[in-house]
Amino acid sequence: MTTKVNMDKLKSVRNRFEEVGIDGMVITSRSNRRYMTNFTGSAGIVIISEREAKLLTDSRYEEQAGEQAVNYEVVLYKRSVEELAEHVEKMGIKKLGIEKDYMTYGEYLQYRDKINVELVPLSGVIERLREIKSEEEINTIREAAKITDKAFTHIVELIRPGLAEKQVANELEYIMRKEGATSSGSDTIVASGYRSALPHGVASEKTIEKGEMVTLDFGAYYNGYRSDMTRTVAVGDPGEKLREVYQIVLEALNRGLSGIKPGLSTKEVDALPRDFIKAKGYGEYFGHGAGHGIGLDIHENPFFSTTGNNVVQAGMVVTVEPGIYLPGIGGVRIEDDILITDNGIEVLTHSPKELLVL
Ligand code: ZN
Ligand code: ZN
C-alpha cells in the first residue's frame, strides 16, 4: 500500500518538473516531507531527481526512516549544506527546485553559495498534491473529527459560570488526548463574552460569566492529521441580539454546506455563507475566509476567500466556518469539517449545531 502510494506521489511530482522548469527538487517543509515519504521524524531533507529519491536524515532516525520511507534511499548525514550539495551534484541535477516558503533567508544564502546548480524558487508544488486526500488520509481525519466530537460532548457538561477559559481549554485538550489524540490540532480557542468577538481568541484567564456566548474552536492531532471544529454555546440567556446573530451564522453555514460541490471556485464557495450574512446586514462583521483545507496542516489548500480561484474537487477535506463578530458585544462562529464527494459532501463533525444554552 505505502509502496504504491509513495511511487504514485513521486510520479506526480516528477510530472510537474518540466512545467516548473526543474530537473530535481529538495523538500524542506516538514509536512511536505512527511506527505511524500511517510517519514514522521522531525528532521530530514528530501531530494528528488528524475530517477532517484533520497531522504537525508540523521542517525537518530536510521531505523525509522528505513521502515517508513519506502522507495526512498535513506542517507544519514550531519545536516550540513555541503553534504546536501554533494548529493544534488551526484544525482546530476542542474536546475534545483527549492521550497521558498519553507526556508530562511540564511538557509537560502547557504544553498546559493554552496550548491553549484541553478536554484529555482517554487511555491505550492507538493501542497497542490496534498489537496486531494487518499482513502487512508480521509479515514484518519474522520477519526480526528470523532475525537473532537467526543470532547465537545464532554465539555458542554462542564462549562459553567466561574470557570476560566483556560480551564475549559485544558479540559478539551485532556479529553482529546485521552481519546487518542497526540495533542490538539491547533491553539485551542475558548473565547467568552466580549472576547468571543475576537475571531482568534486563544483561551485566557478570563472567567466565563452568566449570559455570555462562548466560542470553542479546537481539534485533534491524530496520526499526523488534524480536525478543526467550532461551536459557540451560550451560558445562560445571551440576549436577543446574539440569539439572532447565532441563527444567521447557522443558516450561513447550512447554505455553505448545501451549496458546496465539485467544480465551484473557492470564491464561489466563500460567497455561499458570505452573501447570506451580507444580506442580513452583517457583512462587515465577517472578516475572514469562509473555510480552508485541513490535513497534515491545520490550514492548507484550498482556501475559501473572496478572491480565491482554486477549484473544489472530490477528495478535498475542508472546513466551512462563517462567523459574525460584534466588537464589545460578542461573536458567533460555527465550523464543520467536510469531505467533498462526487455528488456533494460528507460532514465529518457531528456535534449539535442548534444553540445550546447551558
Ligand atoms: Zn477552527
Ligand atoms: Zn478553521
Side-chain angles (χ1 to χ4, degrees):
M1 176 74 183
T2 306
T3 312
K4 183 176 175 306
V5 171
N6 274 3
M7 277 314 280
D8 287 350
K9 290 175 183 171
L10 280 168
K11 205 174 147 204
S12 305
V13 173
R14 287 172 175 142
N15 280 345
R16 296 207 56 204
F17 274 14
E18 204 180 302
E19 173 196 337
V20 296
I22 58 173
D23 57 5
M25 180 172 181
V26 287
I27 295 173
T28 44
S29 140
R30 182 173 178 167
S31 294
N32 288 345
R33 177 180 71 228
R34 172 171 176 154
Y35 179 75
M36 289 303 297
T37 64
N38 271 323
F39 171 59
T40 56
S42 65
I45 289 189
V46 173
I47 320 175
I48 300 169
S49 69
E50 294 284 2
R51 270 184 235 317
E52 293 174 273
K54 295 185 183 183
L55 168 62
L56 277 56
T57 187
D58 59 79
S59 56
R60 287 175 300 170
Y61 290 120
E62 183 172 11
E63 207 180 317
Q64 183 187 340
E67 278 169 19
Q68 294 177 328
V70 180
N71 290 114
Y72 284 78
E73 181 190 338
V74 174
V75 181
L76 298 184
Y77 85 134
K78 296 194 170 61
R79 303 173 76 166
S80 73
V81 177
E82 285 84 354
E83 290 168 282
L84 174 64
E86 240 173 70
H87 285 283
V88 168
E89 280 169 42
K90 253 197 276 179
M91 289 164 83
I93 298 169
K94 301 275 181 279
K95 291 180 171 183
L96 180 69
I98 54 173
E99 294 191 297
K100 67 173 180 174
D101 304 325
Y102 299 98
M103 182 176 263
T104 65
Y105 187 59
E107 282 163 346
Y108 169 74
L109 292 180
Q110 283 204 48
Y111 276 44
R112 193 194 62 186
D113 295 343
K114 292 176 179 162
I115 307 178
N116 199 16
V117 297
E118 183 188 334
L119 298 179
V120 182
L122 299 174
S123 190
V125 172
I126 312 297
E127 289 86 338
R128 287 310 295 268
L129 302 180
R130 284 168 48 193
E131 290 179 1
I132 309 293
K133 266 64 180 179
S134 69
E135 204 51 51
E136 198 179 342
E137 290 180 293
I138 291 165
N139 284 332
T140 309
I141 300 172
R142 222 182 243 124
E143 286 307 311
K146 270 187 202 159
I147 294 170
T148 310
D149 281 334
K150 283 181 185 164
F152 183 74
T153 306
H154 172 86
I155 206 69
V156 291
E157 297 295 322
L158 210 109
I159 294 177
R160 59 176 188 276
L163 273 188
E165 292 171 356
K166 265 194 178 159
Q167 287 175 284
V168 175
N170 288 346
E171 192 65 25
L172 275 172
E173 292 181 10
Y174 171 71
I175 291 296
M176 288 193 290
R177 283 173 201 245
K178 210 168 121 189
E179 295 292 344
T182 317
S183 64
S184 53
S186 60
D187 288 342
T188 298
I189 290 174
V190 178
S192 61
Y194 68 90
R195 291 193 77 252
S196 62
L198 309 171
H200 210 259
V202 171
S204 76
E205 302 291 348
K206 181 189 170 300
T207 312
I208 295 168
E209 310 287 346
K210 207 159 186 232
E212 288 184 338
M213 285 293 203
V214 184
T215 298
L216 310 157
D217 183 353
F218 62 103
Y221 183 55
Y222 175 77
N223 283 352
Y225 285 79
R226 299 165 203 272
S227 57
D228 180 13
M229 181 176 83
T230 308
R231 291 294 184 265
T232 302
V233 299
V235 179
D237 187 355
E240 212 170 300
K241 186 80 180 161
L242 287 170
R243 276 181 187 272
E244 179 206 331
V245 163
Y246 191 94
Q247 293 311 321
I248 294 168
V249 172
L250 180 57
E251 177 58 23
L253 173 66
N254 287 334
R255 293 194 178 213
L257 297 181
S258 56
I260 191 168
K261 56 173 191 260
L264 289 189
S265 72
T266 44
K267 85 179 151 212
E268 287 171 318
V269 172
D270 185 83
L272 294 168
R274 190 175 307 283
D275 286 351
F276 181 74
I277 289 176
K278 266 191 202 159
K280 291 289 175 185
Y282 289 99
E284 62 182 299
Y285 303 105
F286 176 24
H288 56 76
H292 53 86
I294 52 171
L296 290 167
D297 288 324
I298 188 69
H299 298 121
E300 58 180 58
N301 283 352
F303 291 92
F304 302 136
S305 75
T306 51
T307 54
N309 49 19
N310 199 344
V311 175
V312 171
Q313 296 171 64
M316 288 179 166
V317 178
V318 300
T319 71
V320 181
E321 50 178 304
I324 295 176
Y325 312 94
L326 305 176
I329 299 171
V332 174
R333 177 169 64 258
I334 315 175
E335 173 181 32
D336 271 334
D337 297 344
I338 63 172
L339 165 68
I340 310 287
T341 63
D342 288 319
N343 32 26
I345 60 163
E346 175 194 332
V347 180
L348 305 179
T349 39
H350 299 291
S351 296
K353 283 175 270 191
E354 289 308 319
L355 178 61
L356 287 177
V357 180
L358 307 175

